[in-house]
Amino acid sequence: MQKNSLNKVILIGRLGSKPEGRYTQQGKATVQFSLATNEVWKNQQGKQVEHTEWHSLVAWDKLAEFCTEYLNKGQLISVEGTLRTRKWADKEETKLFKITEILCNNITILDNLSSNKG
């Protein structure tokens, strides 16, 4: 690996749903959830165009427990993490799947939607 490389992601967006945590067989807390980021620009005809990008996020241990307890659908958050790509096959190993996720290191709540549970 090259020494002068960096894998860092910073996103600010809204949660697509309330994170629902689980525990692995080894007792480690984990959670997977989605985050939407939006871009707005004007095209050549001067018409406003909006694009929403959905990101898959993963958190582990105490951060996963924090997400499950304190984050709610629609909430604005800041996420710092790294990109991770996973590959797996179906049971018959005939079809391969691939997903790129953000492995979260830090999450900051930017607005409080405590009344918006679920």
Side-chain angles (χ1 to χ4, degrees), residues 1-107:
M1 183 173 118
Q2 189 177 24
K3 289 182 182 181
N4 296 331
S5 64
L6 175 67
N7 180 357
K8 183 168 184 158
V9 175
I10 300 173
L11 297 171
I12 295 175
R14 296 206 176 265
L15 293 171
S17 62
K18 170 130 181 84
E20 294 185 24
R22 65 178 183 86
Y23 288 89
T24 66
Q25 290 179 345
Q26 296 77 24
K28 265 184 104 165
T30 185
V31 65
Q32 291 181 286
F33 56 103
S34 61
L35 184 78
T37 56
N38 298 305
E39 296 177 74
V40 179
W41 68 91
K42 289 190 177 182
N43 64 16
Q44 291 179 339
Q45 293 76 31
K47 183 179 177 186
Q48 185 169 306
V49 179
E50 183 173 340
H51 173 74
T52 301
E53 190 71 35
W54 287 95
H55 309 274
S56 296
L57 284 74
V58 177
W60 290 92
D61 301 320
K62 290 193 181 289
L63 188 56
E65 292 172 349
F66 168 83
C67 293
T68 303
E69 187 170 347
Y70 294 106
L71 300 183
N72 295 296
K73 179 179 180 176
Q75 200 163 30
L76 185 67
I77 64 169
S78 169
V79 175
E80 293 181 41
T82 57
L83 285 176
R84 288 287 191 271
T85 302
R86 293 187 292 128
K87 298 177 187 177
W88 70 97
D90 61 4
K91 290 181 182 178
E92 295 80 32
E93 296 190 14
T94 56
K95 187 171 182 179
L96 294 175
F97 299 92
K98 179 179 174 181
I99 186 170
T100 300
E101 302 166 315
I102 287 60
L103 179 58
C104 301
N105 299 326
N106 187 38
I107 295 175

